[in-house]
Amino acid sequence: AQPQGWYFKEKTVLLSIILTGFPWAGGTIMLIYIASLQGISPEMIEATRLDGVGPFKRVIYFHLPMMIGQIKYFVITSIIAGMQNFNLQLIVTGGGPGVDGASMVPGDQNYYAFTKSDYGKANALGIILFVIIMGLTVINNVFIKNKNTEEVDA
């Protein structure tokens, strides 16, 4: 059987690049999540066990809310990286395969505008990219609330 060239087929190139740089499998990210979990006091975990909370509910209602700050940070940085980083696509596929731009991300457009000395288009694309990323960041900050940093009404 012929081996599959995932990077060189138009239908699978984006999926293969996403899986290559899967953000939750990175070493530094995993270390920060593990440190976040280790920061939860054993007494609090024991209290949830004594209250009869099962493992699944403990993760959903206890661990995830305690890690919301790290989750917010990585959602924002993953959005920024996904929109700006084009180095993997450029190195692996050169903007291809086949149809020009099958693995294109917004950062590619900006790069190609600069290489063609079309600085007006590159600046406009940079501003549009900034506005989109800022909007997504604001939406992320509005919808993902960090209960640990909110003020409590007394």
Side-chain angles (χ1 to χ4, degrees), residues 21-53:
F22 189 61
W24 307 111
T28 307
I29 295 171
M30 196 59 67
L31 286 174
I32 290 175
Y33 280 133
I34 289 171
S36 169
L37 286 171
Q38 289 177 341
I40 300 173
S41 89
E43 291 83 16
M44 291 181 76
I45 296 171
E46 184 64 26
T48 61
R49 286 189 185 129
L50 292 174
D51 286 341
V53 178

Short mmCIF file of all heavy atoms in Angstrom, two decimals, residues 21-53:
data_model
loop_
_atom_site.label_atom_id
_atom_site.label_comp_id
_atom_site.label_asym_id
_atom_site.label_seq_id
_atom_site.Cartn_x
_atom_site.Cartn_y
_atom_site.Cartn_z
N GLY A 21 0.52 20.82 15.41
CA GLY A 21 0.73 21.85 16.42
C GLY A 21 -0.39 21.90 17.44
O GLY A 21 -0.74 22.96 17.92
N PHE A 22 -0.97 20.75 17.77
CA PHE A 22 -2.11 20.72 18.69
C PHE A 22 -1.74 21.42 19.99
O PHE A 22 -0.80 21.03 20.67
CB PHE A 22 -2.51 19.27 18.95
CG PHE A 22 -3.79 19.13 19.70
CD1 PHE A 22 -4.96 19.62 19.17
CD2 PHE A 22 -3.82 18.50 20.93
CE1 PHE A 22 -6.15 19.49 19.86
CE2 PHE A 22 -5.00 18.37 21.62
CZ PHE A 22 -6.17 18.86 21.08
N PRO A 23 -2.45 22.50 20.34
CA PRO A 23 -2.00 23.37 21.43
C PRO A 23 -2.03 22.73 22.81
O PRO A 23 -1.25 23.10 23.67
CB PRO A 23 -2.97 24.55 21.37
CG PRO A 23 -4.15 24.05 20.65
CD PRO A 23 -3.67 22.99 19.72
N TRP A 24 -2.90 21.76 23.04
CA TRP A 24 -3.00 21.23 24.40
C TRP A 24 -1.97 20.14 24.66
O TRP A 24 -1.85 19.67 25.78
CB TRP A 24 -4.41 20.69 24.65
CG TRP A 24 -5.44 21.70 24.34
CD1 TRP A 24 -6.32 21.67 23.30
CD2 TRP A 24 -5.67 22.93 25.02
NE1 TRP A 24 -7.09 22.80 23.31
CE2 TRP A 24 -6.72 23.59 24.35
CE3 TRP A 24 -5.11 23.55 26.13
CZ2 TRP A 24 -7.21 24.82 24.76
CZ3 TRP A 24 -5.60 24.77 26.53
CH2 TRP A 24 -6.64 25.38 25.85
N ALA A 25 -1.22 19.74 23.68
CA ALA A 25 -0.23 18.68 23.86
C ALA A 25 1.18 19.25 24.05
O ALA A 25 2.12 18.50 24.19
CB ALA A 25 -0.25 17.73 22.68
N GLY A 26 1.32 20.55 24.04
CA GLY A 26 2.64 21.17 24.18
C GLY A 26 3.21 20.98 25.58
O GLY A 26 2.47 20.94 26.57
N GLY A 27 4.50 20.89 25.66
CA GLY A 27 5.16 20.64 26.94
C GLY A 27 4.97 21.73 27.97
O GLY A 27 4.62 21.47 29.12
N THR A 28 5.18 22.98 27.59
CA THR A 28 5.05 24.08 28.53
C THR A 28 3.62 24.23 29.00
O THR A 28 3.36 24.46 30.19
CB THR A 28 5.52 25.39 27.88
OG1 THR A 28 6.83 25.21 27.36
CG2 THR A 28 5.51 26.53 28.87
N ILE A 29 2.68 24.08 28.09
CA ILE A 29 1.27 24.20 28.45
C ILE A 29 0.89 23.11 29.44
O ILE A 29 0.22 23.38 30.45
CB ILE A 29 0.40 24.12 27.17
CG1 ILE A 29 0.67 25.32 26.28
CG2 ILE A 29 -1.08 24.01 27.52
CD1 ILE A 29 0.04 25.24 24.92
N MET A 30 1.33 21.89 29.19
CA MET A 30 1.02 20.79 30.10
C MET A 30 1.63 21.03 31.47
O MET A 30 1.00 20.75 32.49
CB MET A 30 1.52 19.48 29.50
CG MET A 30 0.92 18.27 30.14
SD MET A 30 -0.87 18.20 30.06
CE MET A 30 -1.15 17.98 28.33
N LEU A 31 2.85 21.57 31.51
CA LEU A 31 3.47 21.86 32.81
C LEU A 31 2.68 22.91 33.59
O LEU A 31 2.53 22.80 34.81
CB LEU A 31 4.91 22.35 32.60
CG LEU A 31 5.93 21.29 32.20
CD1 LEU A 31 7.27 21.94 31.89
CD2 LEU A 31 6.08 20.26 33.29
N ILE A 32 2.17 23.91 32.91
CA ILE A 32 1.40 24.94 33.59
C ILE A 32 0.09 24.36 34.11
O ILE A 32 -0.35 24.67 35.23
CB ILE A 32 1.17 26.15 32.67
CG1 ILE A 32 2.52 26.87 32.47
CG2 ILE A 32 0.13 27.11 33.25
CD1 ILE A 32 2.50 28.00 31.50
N TYR A 33 -0.56 23.50 33.33
CA TYR A 33 -1.79 22.86 33.82
C TYR A 33 -1.52 21.96 35.01
O TYR A 33 -2.29 21.93 35.97
CB TYR A 33 -2.47 22.07 32.70
CG TYR A 33 -3.27 22.92 31.76
CD1 TYR A 33 -3.16 22.78 30.40
CD2 TYR A 33 -4.17 23.86 32.23
CE1 TYR A 33 -3.90 23.55 29.52
CE2 TYR A 33 -4.91 24.65 31.38
CZ TYR A 33 -4.77 24.48 30.03
OH TYR A 33 -5.50 25.26 29.17
N ILE A 34 -0.44 21.21 34.96
CA ILE A 34 -0.10 20.34 36.08
C ILE A 34 0.21 21.17 37.33
O ILE A 34 -0.22 20.83 38.44
CB ILE A 34 1.08 19.41 35.72
CG1 ILE A 34 0.62 18.37 34.70
CG2 ILE A 34 1.65 18.71 36.95
CD1 ILE A 34 1.73 17.54 34.11
N ALA A 35 0.94 22.26 37.16
CA ALA A 35 1.22 23.14 38.30
C ALA A 35 -0.07 23.73 38.86
O ALA A 35 -0.22 23.87 40.08
CB ALA A 35 2.16 24.26 37.88
N SER A 36 -1.01 24.05 37.99
CA SER A 36 -2.30 24.57 38.44
C SER A 36 -3.04 23.52 39.26
O SER A 36 -3.63 23.84 40.30
CB SER A 36 -3.12 24.97 37.22
OG SER A 36 -4.44 25.24 37.57
N LEU A 37 -3.03 22.28 38.81
CA LEU A 37 -3.69 21.22 39.56
C LEU A 37 -3.00 20.95 40.90
O LEU A 37 -3.66 20.67 41.91
CB LEU A 37 -3.73 19.93 38.74
CG LEU A 37 -4.72 19.91 37.59
CD1 LEU A 37 -4.52 18.68 36.73
CD2 LEU A 37 -6.14 19.98 38.12
N GLN A 38 -1.68 21.06 40.92
CA GLN A 38 -0.96 20.85 42.17
C GLN A 38 -1.17 21.98 43.15
O GLN A 38 -0.95 21.82 44.35
CB GLN A 38 0.53 20.65 41.89
CG GLN A 38 0.83 19.32 41.23
CD GLN A 38 2.30 19.16 40.88
OE1 GLN A 38 3.04 20.13 40.79
NE2 GLN A 38 2.72 17.93 40.68
N GLY A 39 -1.60 23.15 42.66
CA GLY A 39 -1.86 24.29 43.53
C GLY A 39 -3.17 24.16 44.30
O GLY A 39 -3.42 24.93 45.23
N ILE A 40 -4.01 23.20 43.92
CA ILE A 40 -5.26 22.98 44.64
C ILE A 40 -4.94 22.20 45.90
O ILE A 40 -4.30 21.15 45.85
CB ILE A 40 -6.27 22.22 43.75
CG1 ILE A 40 -6.58 23.02 42.49
CG2 ILE A 40 -7.54 21.92 44.53
CD1 ILE A 40 -7.42 22.28 41.48
N SER A 41 -5.40 22.69 47.03
CA SER A 41 -5.03 22.06 48.30
C SER A 41 -5.67 20.68 48.43
O SER A 41 -6.83 20.49 48.07
CB SER A 41 -5.41 22.95 49.48
OG SER A 41 -6.71 22.69 49.90
N PRO A 42 -4.91 19.72 48.96
CA PRO A 42 -5.45 18.36 49.15
C PRO A 42 -6.66 18.34 50.09
O PRO A 42 -7.53 17.48 49.95
CB PRO A 42 -4.27 17.59 49.75
CG PRO A 42 -3.06 18.39 49.44
CD PRO A 42 -3.50 19.80 49.30
N GLU A 43 -6.72 19.29 51.02
CA GLU A 43 -7.84 19.33 51.94
C GLU A 43 -9.15 19.64 51.20
O GLU A 43 -10.20 19.10 51.53
CB GLU A 43 -7.62 20.38 53.03
CG GLU A 43 -6.52 20.03 54.02
CD GLU A 43 -5.14 20.39 53.52
OE1 GLU A 43 -5.02 21.18 52.55
OE2 GLU A 43 -4.16 19.87 54.09
N MET A 44 -9.06 20.53 50.19
CA MET A 44 -10.26 20.86 49.42
C MET A 44 -10.71 19.66 48.59
O MET A 44 -11.91 19.39 48.47
CB MET A 44 -9.99 22.07 48.53
CG MET A 44 -9.81 23.36 49.32
SD MET A 44 -9.53 24.78 48.28
CE MET A 44 -11.17 25.05 47.66
N ILE A 45 -9.77 18.93 48.04
CA ILE A 45 -10.12 17.74 47.26
C ILE A 45 -10.73 16.69 48.18
O ILE A 45 -11.73 16.04 47.83
CB ILE A 45 -8.88 17.19 46.52
CG1 ILE A 45 -8.40 18.22 45.49
CG2 ILE A 45 -9.18 15.86 45.85
CD1 ILE A 45 -7.08 17.90 44.85
N GLU A 46 -10.16 16.53 49.36
CA GLU A 46 -10.69 15.58 50.33
C GLU A 46 -12.11 15.98 50.77
O GLU A 46 -12.98 15.13 50.95
CB GLU A 46 -9.77 15.48 51.55
CG GLU A 46 -10.19 14.45 52.57
CD GLU A 46 -10.15 13.02 52.03
OE1 GLU A 46 -9.38 12.75 51.11
OE2 GLU A 46 -10.92 12.19 52.55
N ALA A 47 -12.35 17.28 50.89
CA ALA A 47 -13.68 17.75 51.27
C ALA A 47 -14.70 17.40 50.20
O ALA A 47 -15.85 17.02 50.52
CB ALA A 47 -13.66 19.25 51.51
N THR A 48 -14.32 17.49 48.92
CA THR A 48 -15.26 17.11 47.87
C THR A 48 -15.54 15.61 47.90
O THR A 48 -16.67 15.19 47.65
CB THR A 48 -14.74 17.51 46.47
OG1 THR A 48 -13.51 16.84 46.21
CG2 THR A 48 -14.58 19.00 46.35
N ARG A 49 -14.53 14.83 48.22
CA ARG A 49 -14.74 13.38 48.34
C ARG A 49 -15.68 13.07 49.49
O ARG A 49 -16.56 12.21 49.38
CB ARG A 49 -13.41 12.67 48.54
CG ARG A 49 -12.58 12.59 47.29
CD ARG A 49 -11.38 11.69 47.47
NE ARG A 49 -10.57 11.73 46.27
CZ ARG A 49 -9.27 11.95 46.26
NH1 ARG A 49 -8.61 12.14 47.39
NH2 ARG A 49 -8.61 11.99 45.13
N LEU A 50 -15.48 13.73 50.63
CA LEU A 50 -16.34 13.49 51.79
C LEU A 50 -17.78 13.94 51.54
O LEU A 50 -18.72 13.37 52.10
CB LEU A 50 -15.78 14.22 53.03
CG LEU A 50 -14.47 13.66 53.58
CD1 LEU A 50 -13.95 14.54 54.70
CD2 LEU A 50 -14.65 12.23 54.05
N ASP A 51 -17.95 14.95 50.70
CA ASP A 51 -19.29 15.41 50.35
C ASP A 51 -19.97 14.49 49.34
O ASP A 51 -21.13 14.70 48.98
CB ASP A 51 -19.24 16.83 49.78
CG ASP A 51 -18.98 17.87 50.85
OD1 ASP A 51 -19.19 17.57 52.04
OD2 ASP A 51 -18.57 18.99 50.49
N GLY A 52 -19.25 13.49 48.86
CA GLY A 52 -19.84 12.51 47.94
C GLY A 52 -19.80 12.92 46.48
O GLY A 52 -20.55 12.38 45.67
N VAL A 53 -18.93 13.86 46.12
CA VAL A 53 -18.82 14.29 44.73
C VAL A 53 -17.99 13.25 43.98
O VAL A 53 -16.89 12.91 44.40
CB VAL A 53 -18.17 15.69 44.65
CG1 VAL A 53 -18.02 16.11 43.21
CG2 VAL A 53 -18.98 16.69 45.44
#
